[in-house]
Amino acid sequence: MDIRALRYFVELVKCQSFTRAADALFVTQPTISKMVKQLEEELDMPLILREGRSFRLTDAGRVTYERGMDVLSAMNQLKHELADLASLSHGELVVGLPPMVGVAFFAPVVSRYRGRYPQIELKMVEDGALAIENRIKSSELEIGVAVLPVDSQVFEHYSVVRDPLCLVAPAGSRWHGKSLVQLADIADQPMVLYPDDFTLSRRIGDAFRELGKPLNIVGRSAHWDFIVELVAANLGVTLLPRSIVERLDREQFDVIPLFDNKLYWHLALIWQRSGYLSHAARAWLALTRETLGGQD
């Protein structure tokens, strides 16, 4: 089977468009059509049914897409393992980081990694912790940061930080001077929060549901600095990890620890338990241990 034809077909299904697939692969639309036709002839059955400018998969197309993802993932792993023969003299490492995590913890790790392994092309992919977890599970990413707990049958992990959450409100709020605040104390408040697909956002929502209280979301952002700007503008209050709120100007904000033993920010580097961890990723893990400490 022509791996290139399989790759073009998989990209077409992912993009759901000949135009977008051609752009992603830097080829022409006729090339995509030719490769799909070649794959259909080799398998001796149709894979897609054209409907005007769109298409839908046949049963054979769905199976070919699912198994094709496995084949391409295996090919990518083979390339990683072969590239490792040259150790760390060249290569690439892509690390998944949630937006709040990079600025809070990993800037010094990035700096030391670039200094120690200048021949490795290091790329940071910003996404929510849940999305990073899914991308590692599907082998799209090799290593990244997620919020624990994760499925221990699927992932290995190295714990980096376990942070309690803190209420952040405009200075002079009704919680000013309090040493602790409970979730029930803020259940009636407008909240500025992270996107709904962020792990911590979902856990906060679950905690409110356990109280029998709806979340009153007035704004969302993936970036903590924008969240606190919205709080400063009196749009609402928020819950942020202790490591983040330590950076805030206490003259602008009231910051009160949240009294909740179940609601916290537990970050860890994760990677596939059954997957291959490249030398570049192992070096990243070792530098994280060296720079940030933490525990397994």
Side-chain angles (χ1 to χ4, degrees), residues 243-293:
S243 301
I244 300 296
V245 301
E246 286 173 351
R247 301 167 177 267
L248 301 184
D249 180 357
R250 296 305 177 90
E251 292 186 1
Q252 268 193 291
F253 302 99
D254 288 337
V255 176
I256 304 97
L258 179 68
F259 182 73
D260 191 314
N261 293 328
K262 294 187 295 183
L263 200 54
Y264 50 83
W265 198 45
H266 194 178
L267 298 177
L269 276 176
I270 67 168
W271 60 95
Q272 277 195 40
R273 179 176 289 277
S274 60
Y276 173 76
L277 198 62
S278 69
H279 287 302
R282 293 175 200 173
W284 175 266
L285 179 57
L287 264 183
T288 298
R289 285 190 172 107
E290 183 181 314
T291 306
L292 301 180

Side-chain angles (χ1 to χ4, degrees), residues 93-110:
L93 177 64
V94 184
V95 179
L97 292 177
M100 285 197 299
V101 171
V103 67
F105 301 104
F106 279 89
V109 182
V110 172

